Each structure stands twice: as structure tokens, then as C-alpha cells.
Amino acid sequence: MLSNNTINAPLPANTGFEGRYNRSLYNKRRWANKIGLGFAMSAMVFGLFWLFWILFTLFIEGFQGLIQLPVFTVDTPPPMSVGGLRNAIVGSVMLAFSGLLIGAPIGLMTGIYLSEFSQGSMLGKVTRFLNDILLSAPSIVIGLFIYALMVKGQNFSGWAGALALALIVIPVVVRTTENMLNLVPNSIREAAYALGTPKWKMVTQVTIKAAKAGLTTGVLLAFARITGETAPLLFTALNNQYFSTDMGQPLANLPNTIYQFAMSPYENWHTLAWAAALLITASVLVLNVTARFIGARGQVK
């Protein structure tokens, strides 16, 4: 029998690596690592497979619609007739830009207040809490709120849709603005204070300029978020078969057109729905790539 002293005795200093490590424990951990990596790679391949399948199908079907039909020059057609998506494209652009122009300035100013002026105040804590709630609220709830506020008892309108999209933009821009400004080193603020710069000028001329790439990225991501929103527009802007730029009336838009045409039994409407889906996907992809490019460029600087 070996004593505890014999078992716990230190190995000689000149003992090599092969004599010091536990081979069975090492092999066990190596196989566990390989199994874990295998599961992780399998999950990644599984997810990418479906993603590429969806994108491939969308590209094939949507590209056929863009080639076969006058998508950009004719309005949405009646069933079983030739038409395009001109009115829906124009309406979507108007709604998205209107929502962005309403929501982005509010989000930017709120984010600047939370980062630079709240300083742990109760108003700042309440604002941040409410923004988190609004950020996680389903878009259909926002659409229903605007419906009760602006549409019920009146009529569907583009302004109601723009306001619903603005309520989606605001929390996204608030969160990204606050986070980007918090990443600006305090040494930059201290240097501005040391030169006698007032706080309002330090914020507008120093911190915002230092974080302008991140702020731009946040606005673009918010714009990409509202580009394909359907639920809020069902309760607010609804849809319009004809070409119109009147924001006080129901306005055509791509998301609702996709929903309506995809649920129909008509083949030409299905083709237009695929083309509209490809246009939205391409626009969101361009916006995300642009946002990442601007963010990466700002980090390099």
C-alpha cells in the first residue's frame, strides 16, 4: 500500500511533458471538445442551409417577376391582368422616409440626453425603462395604438402609418445613440472642459462628432427595421390599388401588397408578391451593408 505522502509527492523537476499530464483525462477532454465543435458546426450549417435556400428561392422567383412584368412603371393590377408595383414602391418610400424623419430626431435627442445630461436622475431612469419597453413591444401593438389614436372614427392615412413607423424607429435610435456616446472616452470630454468649452458645445462639437459613425449606423439600422414592417401598416395606412401621394388618404405599400397578393389565388399576383419581397430584401441588405461599412470605417479612424 502506498501512503498519501507517496501519492502526493512532487514529480522530479526534469520530468518531461509526457510524464506530467494525465493522458486519459486529456483524451476525454479532447473528444468532448471535438463533439462540441461538431454540434456547433452542424447547427451553423443547418441554419445557413435554410437561409441560403430561402434567399435562393426568393431571388429566382423575384427576379422572374422583375423581368416578366413592368414592375417599376405600372400600378398594381386587378386579378388576371398585367401590372406592376409603382404605386406600392412610391408609397413605401414615402412612409419609410416620413417615419424616419419623424422618429430619428426624437431618438437622437433622447439618446443624447440619457448619455450626457441625465446623470442618474429619476427622469433618465424612467425614460430608459420606458424605451426598453417600447423597444421590445410587438409592432402590431404599436399599429393598434395608432389605429385607436388616429384611425378609429376617422380614416386610414399615410400619416398614421408614418407615425406608427416612427414609434418603431425611436427606441432603436435611442438605444444606439446612448451606447455610441457612452463609448466616447471621458478623456475627450475632460480635454474639452479643460479648454473652457461649455457643456452644450462640448456635446455638439466633440462627443457627437466623435460618435457620428455609430449614430449614422443606428439611424440606418432603424430605417432597415421599418422597411419591411407589415403589421403597423395594416391598421394605419392600409393599402391603395391606385397611385397616390396624398398622405392624408390610404397609401399603397409593398408589405401590405405582398400580404394581399400572396394570399390570393391569382398567379400574376403571386409573381408580383415575389418581386416585391425581393425588392424589400435587397433594400434591407443594402442598408445593413452600408451601416456596417460606416461603422467599420468609424472604428478604423
Side-chain angles (χ1 to χ4, degrees), residues 48-62:
L48 290 177
F49 169 76
W50 295 107
L51 174 63
F52 282 114
W53 190 3
I54 293 172
L55 292 177
F56 179 76
T57 305
L58 176 63
F59 178 79
I60 295 299
E61 299 288 345

Side-chain angles (χ1 to χ4, degrees), residues 265-282:
Y266 308 111
E267 188 64 31
N268 66 318
W269 280 15
H270 292 172
T271 304
L272 285 174
W274 281 112
L278 179 60
L279 291 176
I280 290 181
T281 304

Side-chain angles (χ1 to χ4, degrees), residues 86-96 244 247 251-254:
R86 183 185 62 165
N87 57 334
I89 294 172
V90 173
S92 289
V93 172
M94 293 177 61
L95 289 171
S244 174
M247 293 287 287
L251 203 62
N253 55 86
L254 287 174

Side-chain angles (χ1 to χ4, degrees), residues 145-169:
F145 169 73
I146 299 299
Y147 171 81
L149 186 67
M150 297 182 62
V151 178
K152 187 177 181 181
Q154 301 180 42
N155 65 305
F156 296 96
S157 67
W159 288 119
L163 186 57
L165 296 180
L167 290 181
I168 298 174
V169 168

Side-chain angles (χ1 to χ4, degrees), residues 31-45:
W31 281 108
N33 181 64
K34 289 183 178 180
I35 293 173
L37 288 176
F39 277 117
M41 294 294 293
S42 300
M44 181 190 70
V45 172

Side-chain angles (χ1 to χ4, degrees), residues 119-192:
Q119 298 174 347
S121 64
M122 182 57 65
L123 178 60
K125 293 179 181 178
V126 172
T127 303
R128 193 175 290 107
F129 175 72
L130 294 177
N131 184 76
D132 291 340
I133 294 176
L134 189 60
L135 185 64
S136 59
S139 59
I140 194 171
V141 175
I142 296 175
L144 186 61
F145 169 73
I146 299 299
Y147 171 81
L149 186 67
M150 297 182 62
V151 178
K152 187 177 181 181
Q154 301 180 42
N155 65 305
F156 296 96
S157 67
W159 288 119
L163 186 57
L165 296 180
L167 290 181
I168 298 174
V169 168
I170 289 173
V172 177
V173 176
V174 169
R175 173 64 64 85
T176 54
T177 300
E178 183 183 7
N179 290 341
M180 291 302 103
L181 291 176
N182 287 337
L183 292 176
V184 177
N186 285 328
S187 58
I188 296 179
R189 297 180 175 88
E190 294 170 356

Side-chain angles (χ1 to χ4, degrees), residues 7 15 27 33 54 60 85 98 177-179 191 201 290 293:
I7 296 175
T15 304
N27 290 334
N33 181 64
I54 293 172
I60 295 299
L85 297 169
S98 298
T177 300
E178 183 183 7
N179 290 341
K201 196 168 186 178
T290 304
F293 173 77

